[in-house]
Amino acid sequence: MLLPDKKLLITGVLTDDSIAWHSARVAQEEGAEIVCTGFGRGLRLTERSVQRLPEQCDVLELDISNPAQVEAVVADLDQRWGRVDGALHAIAFAPEDALGGNFLNTPVESAQTAFTVSAFSYKTLAVALLPLMKQAGGGALVAMDFDNSQAWPAYDWMGVAKSALQSVTRYLARDLGGHNIRVNAVSAGPLGTVAAKSIPGFAKFDQVWAERSPLPWDTSDPDPVARMVCVLLSDWAPMTTGEIVHVDGGFHAVAAGVDDD
Ligand SMILES: NC(=O)c1ccc[n+]([C@@H]2O[C@H](COP(=O)([O-])OP(=O)(O)OC[C@H]3O[C@@H](n4cnc5c(N)ncnc54)[C@H](O)[C@@H]3O)[C@@H](O)[C@H]2O)c1
């Protein structure tokens, strides 16, 4: 087993399509004990979808922008486990006017919301869990990235927030390495989740992946991404930190697709 006796916090579970749901499933299959979090109006949906996990799992309410809820989650984990070995940050949000090709007209408040919820929040989660991760003698944090080293159609300020998230990953790795905490991100190819479907023109992403990805990419299969999340949460990547690991079928490495004939 990859994660025997690990105590993990998994944020961002909404439906059983969520990357976080699949990460939770693989983590349980690999021996971890997990707690999931749900957010706002989606909380009931989270509570229903975790019932389809292989093992029973509690759900805590967490709006990452609400300090009282962050504090309550930490207090619960402290009482429950007295330590935390790792966490998945699978949280992203951008207001409608920050997506969809409206880049030049997006108001600063909407761009700031995208940054605060999707990038700064990795720091929020890391700092909140630090005392419990110290109790564990260290551990691992993983965030979910979508590669924004080039501009995409429609992704707009969410893309800018993802570039910030990559940078946050490196600074957290710098500051938490002394506590034996590794901080990484997984850069996933497109997957048909609620968050992805809320991006206008998301179908375009599927199309370019079908043309360009060296490995055949399946937008309905989050399993390869979930497995990498669990590898990074495990003891099998002990000297990897500040890293952005691509799980995108190799898309990022090539400039054009190769003709089949
Ligand atoms: N689906 C893709 O194609 C893809 C590709 C690369 C990276 N990602 C990233 O993966 C992560 C998970 O997204 P997903 O695709 O599984 O979609 P999803 O819709 O299943 O998950 C997004 C989650 O973010 C949570 N969230 C939003 N605002 C929050 C807040 N203020 N506090 C706490 N939680 C909040 C939602 O409750 C939801 O659970 C996101 O960071 C997303 O950007 C997705």
Side-chain angles (χ1 to χ4, degrees):
M1 280 199 190
L2 198 62
L3 297 165
D5 197 36
K6 296 287 186 202
K7 314 282 190 213
L8 305 177
L9 179 69
I10 308 287
T11 70
V13 175
L14 186 59
T15 69
D16 59 8
D17 286 330
S18 295
I19 293 171
W21 188 93
H22 285 269
S23 303
R25 172 183 58 76
V26 176
Q28 285 186 337
E29 288 166 358
E30 294 299 324
E33 196 177 331
I34 63 166
V35 165
C36 291
T37 70
F39 161 64
R41 280 183 298 171
L43 184 62
R44 299 282 164 267
L45 208 51
T46 305
E47 284 167 347
R48 278 205 297 277
S49 66
V50 299
Q51 287 172 15
R52 292 190 284 280
L53 286 170
E55 283 169 40
Q56 192 272 336
C57 162
D58 288 346
V59 174
L60 305 177
E61 183 171 16
L62 177 64
D63 174 352
I64 196 67
S65 306
N66 179 332
Q69 287 188 10
V70 174
E71 214 175 290
V73 166
V74 172
D76 179 295
L77 298 176
D78 189 16
Q79 204 169 27
R80 183 185 293 262
W81 293 330
R83 71 168 218 258
V84 166
D85 298 298
L88 172 65
H89 175 290
I91 295 171
F93 172 76
E96 233 172 84
D97 58 1
L99 293 163
N102 196 36
F103 191 85
L104 299 181
N105 301 312
T106 299
V108 65
E109 295 78 15
S110 298
Q112 280 166 347
T113 298
F115 168 78
T116 307
V117 178
S118 315
F120 187 84
S121 61
Y122 198 18
K123 192 279 289 187
T124 305
L125 187 70
V127 170
L129 292 178
L130 181 57
L132 290 174
M133 294 188 75
K134 280 189 194 169
Q135 284 297 113
L141 299 170
V142 178
M144 291 309 312
D145 179 36
F146 185 75
D147 195 314
N148 193 59
S149 45
Q150 291 170 309
W152 292 102
Y155 207 45
D156 295 10
W157 291 95
M158 190 65 238
V160 176
K162 287 301 189 194
S163 293
L165 177 69
Q166 290 198 355
S167 188
V168 171
T169 300
R170 291 185 282 268
Y171 279 97
L172 287 176
R174 181 195 69 181
D175 287 356
L176 298 179
H179 300 292
N180 196 29
I181 296 172
R182 294 170 287 115
V183 186
N184 294 295
V186 170
S187 181
L191 293 162
T193 62
V194 171
K197 286 172 190 159
S198 72
I199 299 163
F202 180 75
K204 182 89 181 167
F205 291 42
D206 294 6
Q207 205 184 313
V208 286
W209 247 264
E211 288 163 11
R212 219 171 96 182
S213 174
L215 296 169
W217 182 256
D218 181 354
T219 53
S220 66
D221 182 12
D223 190 62
V225 173
R227 287 193 201 199
M228 182 56 78
V229 166
C230 287
V231 168
L232 291 172
L233 288 173
S234 80
D235 296 336
W236 286 89
M239 279 294 141
T240 300
T241 195
E243 191 62 87
I244 314 297
V245 181
H246 288 83
V247 183
D248 64 351
F251 181 95
H252 69 284
V254 297
V258 179
D259 289 338
D260 285 334
D261 47 25

